[in-house]
Amino acid sequence: MDVQKIMASLEAKHPGEKEYLQAVHEVLESVHDVYNQHPEFAKAKIIERIVEPDRIHTFRVDWVDDKGEVQSNLGYRVQFNAAIGPYKGGIRFHKAVNPSMLKFLGFEQTFKNALTTLPMGGAKGGSDFDPTGKSDAEIMRFCQAFMLELWKYIGPDTDVPAGDVGVGGREIGYMYGMYKKLAHEYNTGVLTGKGINWGGSLIRPEATGYGALYFVDHMLKKLGRDIKGQRVVVSGFGNVAWGASEKATQLGAKVIGLSGPDGCVEVPGGMTQEMIDYLLELRASNRNIVAPFAEKFAKESKFTAGKKAWVIPCDIALPCAFQNELDGDDAKTLIANGVKLVAEVSNMGCTPEAIKAFQDAKLPFAPGKAVNAGGVATSGLEMTQNAAHLSWTSEEVDAKLHQIMESIHNACLKYGQEEGYINYVKGANIAGFMKVAHAMLDQGVI
């Protein structure tokens, strides 16, 4: 496999799709050695096929705002790969959503889902609709209009969307209500992240953050360290940062900082449960800023405008917000301040320059496709409960989630061992790739 040749071909076909090309390049760099050991992969053109989505649905979404004015957005569903199961991946509502972003996310989702060991293919969808400042009625009308187009392409054995940035339980509820009306059936298996009263799984909202900390705990144990007393900083303040902060605190770590687009908040004494719960109130407010956190907890915290959480000296850094949110300069700052471990809880949360800096320093670093797989894993468990028409206790779901995250960590160790270092990026990419590649090979050229 000639990585440069493949990337040149992709760049010619998909010019300007920065995030997508970055994600593909990272995987190809990791798997090229093992790929070249399997001539059957080259004969079947596995690489050429696996880097392109099966199909992309693009549609216009028209809706009416509270002023009675017609608004128009673009909607997408990227069905990337279904070699090991029905398409599975979240829906993202954010003004920055575009095909490149969703292709990168769908590509990552394919390997992330493979790592969970559950039968789920990879997909991603969303819209450039910005929920910030919108009323509940406006969000409901948009979700209904979005589903009016999307419903034709999804189903419990075809494509099962979930929530993502800008899409939580409220939005999933509005979309499911419209799906049910259009499909004339009560099939809760068509979406995950549902309300607990109508088919949702216990601990699903917390699952991405919880699973990430289980993974981090295994990383630390492999290094002979204990998570208790570790100083943690997170970015973002949605379900992911909330779940990560809560589980870190439960495991005995201290969450001493968080950040949003307006700046960072330092909490020297560590976040309390009241503070952690307030993260959800911030998300629900649709203001997308963290300054109110410092205002509410003025005695215990300090807000610094325009700065990221990575300026706060810490032991563990957890990017939980958006892709490429932690860059090379941030990495240098963290290393200089003595960070001991970095784990992406957001998808592709670190730039290539940041990852290289961490790896050059032999600092333990794990990629999002492994660390944040707990969210989609629990979505898969929700699908299982829906299919069997039953509901597991939170303890049952949590135990299964913990087991899945341990198996993902073991898969990373299997393929990521290097001299004096565990390359979690390489390990995760190879483990996910091998499962999908073999499935594609077994199923022929279709």
Side-chain angles (χ1 to χ4, degrees), residues 24-39:
V24 171
H25 187 261
E26 180 197 286
V27 171
L28 297 189
E29 284 289 332
S30 293
V31 307
H32 76 276
D33 287 341
V34 70
Y35 184 86
N36 290 334
Q37 297 169 14
H38 291 269

Side-chain angles (χ1 to χ4, degrees), residues 22 26 104 310 317-320 322-328 330-331 334 342-356 358 365-368 425:
Q22 177 185 337
E26 180 197 286
F104 126 64
W310 322 128
L318 302 177
C320 298
F322 229 67
Q323 72 267 13
N324 290 327
E325 58 178 294
L326 196 160
D327 61 26
D330 298 325
L334 284 165
V342 180
E344 292 179 327
V345 193
S346 52
N347 292 300
M348 206 167 75
C350 298
T351 65
E353 294 77 16
I355 296 172
K356 185 178 186 303
F358 294 138
F365 169 81
V425 175

